[in-house]
């Protein structure tokens, strides 16, 4: 591996390798390696596990009230081939791959870029350890976890509110339709969320389901469980106690 490629890779990772052969192997595609063991396939296997472990721990700590199924959905999205491929492109890792002549002029498939990210994570883990790998991943992955979780919450505000109400009050929220307007083919509904004797501000929606989701979000806001990120997004956090 030439010095310029190595320096660029180390700059991206923020780490100078004690064992440069690890970095070279991480960037060596099977199309140019003498055999599979000399390529990045084994490091890809390790890096996939490293990334998965980081995401699982981050999701577990960040969202103490999510069930296993909800955490699995977030993890699956964050470690997907598409997400990894986009990260590899954004970081410039894809451009550092050592490829065979037959692949150098062709557009690289997303799966190859994703593998490059995983293999270089495997190399970083072996050379620098878990803490340094965490430091590299944290600013890259945690915003993706937040966006992914938010995307899920946008479809499940009712589920989040129900979880809170049942845990803390012992009953599920009720959604009361206060008004309906418009013709039968284009009705709008005004719905209010109620928990016990407490009523929250009503919301309009083009369907009962949408109105109920909006009403649940209003209730969560009123309860103090919704905050805004620096980018203007929403984050829903339910305290564990």
């Amino acid at each position: 591996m030439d010095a310029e490629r190595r320096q660029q890779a180390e700059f991206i990772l923020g780490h100078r390798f004690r064992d440069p052969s690890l970095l070279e192997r991480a960037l060596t595609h099977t199309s140019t390696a003498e055999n599979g063991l000399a390529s990045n396939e084994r490091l890809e296997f390790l890096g996939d596990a490293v990334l998965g472990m980081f995401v699982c721990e981050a999701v577990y700590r960040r969202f103490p009230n999510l069930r296993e199924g909800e955490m699995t959905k977030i993890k699956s999205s964050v470690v997907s081939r598409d997400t990894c491929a986009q990260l590899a492109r954004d970081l410039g890792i894809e451009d550092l791959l050592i490829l065979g002549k037959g692949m150098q002029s062709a557009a690289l498939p997303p799966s190859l870029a994703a593998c490059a990210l995983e293999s270089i994570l495997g190399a970083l883990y072996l050379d620098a350890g878990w803490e340094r790998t965490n430091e590299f991943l944290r600013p890259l992955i945690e915003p993706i976890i937040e966006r992914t979780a938010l995307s899920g919450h946008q479809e499940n505000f009712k589920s989040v509110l129900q979880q809170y109400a049942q845990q803390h009050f012992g009953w599920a929220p009720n959604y009361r339709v206060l008004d309906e307007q418009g013709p039968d083919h284009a009705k709008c509904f005004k719905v209010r969320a109620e928990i016990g004797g407490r009523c929250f501000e009503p919301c309009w929606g083009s369907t009962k389901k949408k109105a109920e989701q909006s009403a649940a979000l209003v209730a969560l806001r009123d309860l103090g469980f919704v905050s805004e990120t620096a980018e203007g997004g929403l984050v829903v956090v339910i305290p564990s106690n």
Side-chain angles (χ1 to χ4, degrees):
M1 180 172 60
D2 60 85
E4 183 178 353
R5 191 188 304 266
R6 173 185 169 184
Q7 290 171 2
Q8 183 61 25
E10 290 181 333
F11 175 78
I12 292 171
L13 294 170
H15 171 70
R16 183 163 185 172
F17 275 72
R18 293 173 294 178
D19 182 0
S21 67
L22 280 171
L23 181 58
E24 180 173 8
R25 193 177 309 126
L27 295 173
T28 301
H29 186 253
T30 53
S31 61
T32 191
E34 294 181 1
N35 58 69
L37 293 177
S39 74
N40 60 6
E41 288 182 339
R42 282 170 52 82
L43 284 172
E44 176 197 342
F45 169 81
L46 177 61
D48 176 67
V50 169
L51 177 60
M53 179 60 192
F54 174 87
V55 173
C56 286
E57 182 178 355
V59 172
Y60 181 86
R61 293 183 183 279
R62 178 68 182 81
F63 303 105
N65 290 283
L66 289 186
R67 296 178 180 275
E68 179 187 3
E70 295 171 306
M71 292 193 294
T72 298
K73 289 179 182 178
I74 296 174
K75 184 241 184 181
S76 297
S77 177
V78 176
V79 303
S80 69
R81 286 294 187 190
D82 288 341
T83 301
C84 290
Q86 189 59 54
L87 278 173
R89 295 190 187 104
D90 292 345
L91 291 168
I93 293 173
E94 182 185 45
D95 299 330
L96 298 176
L97 280 170
I98 303 169
L99 303 168
K101 291 183 179 180
M103 301 186 66
Q104 291 176 2
S105 58
L108 300 181
S111 59
L112 193 150
C115 292
L117 176 70
E118 291 170 348
S119 61
I120 210 166
L121 286 177
L124 179 62
Y125 170 73
L126 289 177
D127 197 76
W130 179 249
E131 289 302 320
R132 179 65 193 90
T133 306
N134 268 247
E135 290 174 8
F136 171 70
L137 283 173
R138 190 170 295 114
L140 298 174
I141 300 299
E142 287 188 346
I144 299 175
I145 291 174
E146 293 288 351
R147 291 196 298 270
T148 304
L150 174 59
S151 175
H153 282 315
Q154 286 176 335
E155 299 176 359
N156 293 286
F157 288 126
K158 285 180 64 179
S159 175
V160 177
L161 184 62
Q162 179 169 328
Q163 178 183 347
Y164 169 79
Q166 289 180 331
Q167 286 180 349
H168 292 265
F169 300 108
W171 55 70
N174 179 56
Y175 295 91
R176 187 181 302 277
V177 178
L178 301 178
D179 194 7
E180 298 181 19
Q181 293 186 10
D184 289 342
H185 67 279
K187 275 189 178 295
C188 290
F189 300 87
K190 186 179 183 181
V191 174
R192 179 178 69 198
E194 302 174 356
I195 302 178
R198 182 169 181 178
C199 299
F200 300 90
E201 287 294 319
C203 293
W204 285 94
S206 57
T207 65
K208 286 184 181 179
K209 181 178 180 181
K210 289 181 179 179
E212 289 173 355
Q213 291 286 1
S214 297
L217 174 57
V218 167
L220 289 168
R221 279 187 182 279
D222 197 40
L223 290 166
F225 301 144
V226 178
S227 60
E228 290 192 3
T229 66
E231 294 77 21
L234 299 179
V235 178
V236 179
V237 180
I238 305 296
S240 55
N241 296 317

